[in-house]
Amino acid sequence: MNAKIGIRPIIDGRKAERENLEEKVMSMAVAAKELIEGNLKYLDGTPVQCVIADTTISGSAQARDCAEKFSKENVTATLSVTSCWCYGSETMDTDPNTIKAIWGFNGTENPGAVYLAAAMAAHAQKGYPAFSIYGKDVQDKSDTSIPEDVQEKILQFARCAVAVGTMKGKSYVNV
C-alpha cells in the first residue's frame, strides 16, 4: 500500500469566522490535493494519493477525528492548510510518526501567517519537526490560486514525504 498525504483544513472555530472562511479553507485543501496528485507519482507510476479530512479542524475533537481517519488510510505525512488564525496547539498534527507541513495563506485580510507561526512554535516545543510554507506575495482574500512559490514548496514537501513514507518500515535495499 502506497503512503498517502493527508490534508488538514484548519479553521477558526468561532461561529461568524467559521461561516466566513469554511469555503476558502476547504478550497485550499482541494487545490493542494489537486496540485500534488496532478504532479507527483509513486515509483510504480501511479499518481500520489491525498486524503482530505472529512471536516475543517477548529479544535482538538476534529483534530482527533482527522488523525483517526488518516491512520486508517496509511497517511504518513500531513499538510495543514489555513487562511485564518486559531489555536495551533489544539489543531496541530500531534502524531509523532507523521511528516508535517503547514501552509499559512499570505492574505490581505486573514492571518494565516499568525497560525503558521503559532503552530510552528507549538511543533518545536513538542519536538515535532515541521515544514513551514508561506508565499512571498500577499494575495487578496478572494484569490483561490496557489502562488508559484507556494506550489514549489508544497511539491518539494510532498516529494520528500512520499519518499520517506515509501521507505517506512523497509530496508532501503527493498524499496
Side-chain angles (χ1 to χ4, degrees):
M1 178 183 253
N2 285 322
K4 297 176 186 173
I5 297 173
I7 302 180
R8 306 173 73 252
I10 307 296
I11 196 160
D12 186 336
R14 295 175 292 174
K15 187 173 177 10
E17 292 301 313
R18 184 177 203 120
E19 290 171 355
N20 289 333
L21 296 169
E22 189 102 28
E23 188 176 321
K24 170 71 176 180
V25 174
M26 276 309 238
S27 72
M28 287 176 68
V30 170
K33 179 182 191 297
E34 290 172 352
L35 174 70
I36 294 166
E37 291 181 345
N39 286 281
L40 302 181
K41 298 192 181 318
Y42 294 114
L43 291 173
D44 65 5
T46 60
V48 168
Q49 294 178 328
C50 295
V51 179
I52 298 176
D54 292 332
T55 64
T56 53
I57 301 167
S58 65
S60 56
Q62 293 95 7
R64 181 196 64 242
D65 293 345
C66 175
E68 288 174 6
K69 175 181 181 170
F70 287 0
S71 71
K72 294 173 187 170
E73 293 278 347
N74 196 35
V75 167
T76 60
T78 61
L79 172 62
S80 297
V81 301
T82 191
S83 67
C84 57
W85 175 88
C86 64
Y87 294 109
S89 58
E90 290 184 9
T91 58
M92 65 188 241
D93 174 3
T94 58
D95 182 342
N97 297 313
T98 58
I99 304 152
K100 299 158 190 33
I102 303 167
W103 168 27
F105 181 79
N106 184 3
T108 54
E109 298 174 30
N110 300 113
V114 176
Y115 175 81
L116 177 62
M120 290 301 292
H123 280 83
Q125 192 174 43
K126 297 263 187 199
Y128 302 146
F131 295 87
S132 173
I133 300 173
Y134 190 67
K136 65 179 169 67
D137 296 322
V138 177
Q139 291 177 260
D140 186 69
K141 178 182 175 179
S142 62
D143 187 352
T144 59
S145 67
I146 303 176
E148 196 171 307
D149 63 321
V150 173
Q151 288 182 30
E152 189 176 308
K153 292 171 189 175
I154 289 171
L155 291 174
Q156 186 176 35
F157 162 74
R159 276 187 201 96
C160 294
V162 168
V164 171
T166 299
M167 292 186 283
K168 187 177 180 178
K170 298 176 185 162
S171 165
Y172 74 93
V173 177
N174 294 330
V175 175

